[in-house]
Amino acid sequence: MSTPEQIRLKKIARIAALYNMIPSLLWTAVFLVPAAMYCIINLAAVSIFTMLAVSLIPVLFPNAFFDSIQLSGNAHFYKKIGVMYVNKFAQYGTLVTKHLKRKFPGYKVVDRSKASIRKQYYQTYFFEKFHFALFVFFTILTIHAMSQGHLYGVFILAISNLLYNVYPNLLQQYIRVKLKPAVKAFTRP
């Protein structure tokens, strides 16, 4: 039987999941729709599926690969290149979190428990793999657009890639830099 507190926490978790879905859906619509339109207008189905298959390869890469391409171990570096601006509008970002904290005082994306910190830390790899795969796909599309002389397509795809894939990956790297000391502290004997 659930206690009233457990019921309340489950309700908050459901509401938080819904609120965090909004930025994700908005960003996906803004940046994937133009890529989808480019594909529909300019590519045969077999080409699209081939590009998608190639793009999914990075999902199989180990977490160590993503550690090796991490740009910095310093959180200040990520702040200097504007990652915090992206975090305002991201899933589990500043705006959504502030709204949830106003509605539910004490709400935290990550609490101080070992399980919560580890979950958030390893979730960054999942998100980075997702956006890295899309980075590869958008890059292939951009190269295709360039080869066909579709300069407008090149511009739209390149900007979309930067905002929808590069910066979200940098955000995941930033989050790992911030959480790494706590994760290491929990794994020490």
Side-chain angles (χ1 to χ4, degrees):
M1 188 103 163
S2 296
T3 68
E5 180 62 15
Q6 289 171 325
I7 293 169
R8 187 182 79 78
L9 291 174
K10 284 180 184 178
K11 177 185 175 190
I12 292 170
R14 278 194 312 274
I15 292 170
L18 287 172
Y19 280 32
N20 281 296
M21 195 184 313
I22 294 168
S24 187
L25 291 173
L26 287 173
W27 286 119
T28 299
V30 167
F31 295 114
L32 283 185
V33 168
M37 294 303 297
Y38 180 83
C39 289
I40 291 166
I41 294 167
N42 297 294
L43 295 167
V46 79
S47 297
I48 296 168
F49 289 122
T50 302
M51 290 176 181
L52 282 171
V54 168
S55 301
L56 288 175
I57 293 170
V59 172
L60 304 173
F61 293 173
N63 293 348
F65 169 79
F66 294 95
D67 289 338
S68 74
I69 63 169
Q70 183 143 348
L71 295 184
S72 178
N74 183 332
H76 185 67
F77 167 81
Y78 293 99
K79 288 178 182 177
K80 281 176 67 173
I81 62 171
V83 168
M84 299 313 295
Y85 183 73
V86 173
N87 189 46
K88 280 185 181 179
F89 305 104
Q91 184 178 13
Y92 299 100
T94 310
L95 291 177
V96 172
T97 303
K98 279 183 181 178
H99 183 74
L100 285 166
K101 283 183 178 184
R102 266 188 260 122
K103 193 168 183 142
F104 305 105
Y107 170 80
K108 293 179 182 178
V109 174
V110 180
D111 63 35
R112 295 187 187 273
S113 73
K114 179 180 178 178
S116 179
I117 291 169
R118 287 179 57 82
K119 177 185 173 200
Q120 187 71 25
Y121 181 80
Y122 287 105
Q123 189 176 46
T124 64
Y125 289 109
F126 172 80
F127 288 141
E128 190 167 3
K129 287 177 182 186
F130 171 79
H131 283 288
F132 196 83
L134 281 172
F135 167 78
V136 171
F137 183 69
F138 276 59
T139 300
I140 294 169
L141 285 179
T142 304
I143 292 167
H144 181 272
M146 203 177 301
S147 74
Q148 300 300 307
H150 300 143
L151 297 182
Y152 183 72
V154 169
F155 177 75
I156 295 295
L157 291 167
I159 295 298
S160 294
N161 206 4
L162 177 69
L163 296 175
Y164 189 64
N165 298 311
V166 174
Y167 264 94
N169 274 349
L170 295 174
L171 177 59
Q172 300 315 310
Q173 292 178 9
Y174 167 77
I175 293 168
R176 272 199 306 277
V177 166
K178 295 289 282 182
L179 292 175
K180 195 170 199 167
V183 170
K184 281 186 173 181
F186 284 132
T187 56
R188 286 192 194 120

